Amino acid sequence: MKTPRCAYMLSRPTFFLWFSIKVDGDHKFRLSFPVPIYTLFLLADLVEDFACIWRLFGGKKAKAARWQHNSAVTKENFVEKLKNPSPEVLSSAAGVVKQLLVSLCFRSGACDLLDVDFASDNEHIQVKCLLR
């Protein structure tokens, strides 16, 4: 009788957000950093859960912030809300990040998000951000 193996292979594709920085010249440097999209999705879900718990136990401060809602959204107002976020702002930002990740993965597929190539006299710098 064979013993079962612990390694499993996923039948669905895994998407990565791949950051790559390469510097050639006097100072040679290379950094590649893959981030699974599933991890980013879990972090957005964690922020949304934190916002729900904060809304429950926020007390008077959360209730007072809800009444000071301004319907006109300007750039300065949005930046101020991000500096001192309320549970509603955190929850909506997490929802936006989730929708962005889903649309990137399932509607666009593998693509190059950012590709910068810069060369000077003695330095050559490449920065790439890929979705694979």
Side-chain angles (χ1 to χ4, degrees), residues 7-108:
Y8 295 104
M9 179 181 252
L10 294 174
S11 62
R12 61 178 183 248
T14 304
F15 294 100
F16 285 90
L17 192 60
W18 188 280
F19 296 103
S20 175
I21 300 171
K22 180 180 177 185
V23 177
D24 289 330
D26 296 338
H27 306 287
K28 293 191 182 250
F29 175 75
R30 183 175 191 134
L31 174 70
S32 294
F33 188 70
V35 178
I37 294 291
Y38 184 69
T39 304
L40 295 175
F41 194 81
L42 285 177
L43 285 174
D45 196 33
L46 181 77
V47 168
E48 193 173 32
D49 292 342
F50 176 72
C52 288
I53 292 172
W54 186 10
R55 190 178 300 133
L56 288 174
F57 298 108
K60 295 178 184 178
K61 186 175 180 181
K63 290 179 184 176
R66 198 175 300 148
W67 289 107
Q68 295 173 357
H69 178 70
N70 189 2
S71 61
V73 177
T74 61
K75 184 177 179 181
E76 293 82 17
N77 189 10
F78 183 70
V79 171
E80 288 300 320
K81 284 186 177 184
L82 286 179
K83 286 181 182 176
N84 297 318
S86 66
E88 290 81 14
V89 171
L90 283 179
S91 181
S92 62
V96 167
V97 168
K98 282 183 185 180
Q99 289 298 320
L100 178 69
L101 292 174
V102 167
S103 65
L104 274 176
C105 289
F106 297 113
R107 293 197 180 110
S108 66

Side-chain angles (χ1 to χ4, degrees), residues 3 16 29 44 95 110 114 127 131:
T3 59
F16 285 90
F29 175 75
L114 175 72
V127 178
L131 183 66

